[in-house]
């Protein structure tokens, strides 16, 4: 988990950097719709790698998903700690029960 916390801090530092010098800044400069689309693209690439790629390809795509998700959270001013707290809240709750509680 330390790697994700370090990555979150790096993203925060680079968020307002020069978009010509930072990929994170470039994503933020292009806006939330572009960041959200990138998260979706990376998710699809991870799914494809899971089905037809090598272990290494899936690991790389999973890292891309996590990176872009953290950029998206940053764009919405949501801390990783908030997501981790939600996971803690769900711990020990049946996935089916938790999902049913959201659909009502």
């Amino acid at each position: 988990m330390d790697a994700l916390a370090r990555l979150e801090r790096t993203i925060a530092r680079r968020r307002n950097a020069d978009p010509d010098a930072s990929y994170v800044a470039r994503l933020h400069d292009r806006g939330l719709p572009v960041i959200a689309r990138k998260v979706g693209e990376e998710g699809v690439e991870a799914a494809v790698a899971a089905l037809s790629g090598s272990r290494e390809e899936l690991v790389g795509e999973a890292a891309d998903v996590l990176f872009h998700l953290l950029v998206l959270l940053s764009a919405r001013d949501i801390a990783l700690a908030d997501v981790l707290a939600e996971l803690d809240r769900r711990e020990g709750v049946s996935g089916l029960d938790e999902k049913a509680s959201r659909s009502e």
Side-chain angles (χ1 to χ4, degrees):
M1 200 54 65
D2 289 337
L4 290 177
R6 285 191 311 273
L7 181 56
E8 181 182 42
R9 289 190 301 270
T10 299
I11 289 168
R13 282 194 310 272
R14 294 182 182 168
R15 181 176 173 171
N16 296 312
D18 177 0
D20 291 330
S22 168
Y23 178 64
V24 170
R26 184 175 303 155
L27 285 171
H28 277 281
D29 190 55
R30 294 178 68 196
L32 189 60
V34 170
I35 297 168
R37 186 170 51 246
K38 191 65 180 169
V39 171
E41 289 170 6
E42 296 299 345
V44 169
E45 290 174 9
V48 169
L51 295 173
S52 61
S54 68
R55 180 183 188 285
E56 292 77 19
E57 287 171 313
L58 179 54
V59 168
E61 294 301 340
D64 289 345
V65 169
L66 291 172
F67 170 81
H68 288 91
L69 180 58
L70 286 175
V71 173
L72 179 66
L73 292 172
S74 169
R76 289 293 313 271
D77 294 318
I78 297 172
L80 175 61
D82 295 338
V83 176
L84 296 177
E86 177 61 14
L87 288 173
D88 284 342
R89 184 191 69 77
R90 294 180 185 188
E91 188 174 355
V93 176
S94 160
L96 295 175
D97 291 342
E98 197 285 324
K99 186 171 181 168
S101 74
R102 288 186 280 141
S103 63
E104 295 174 0

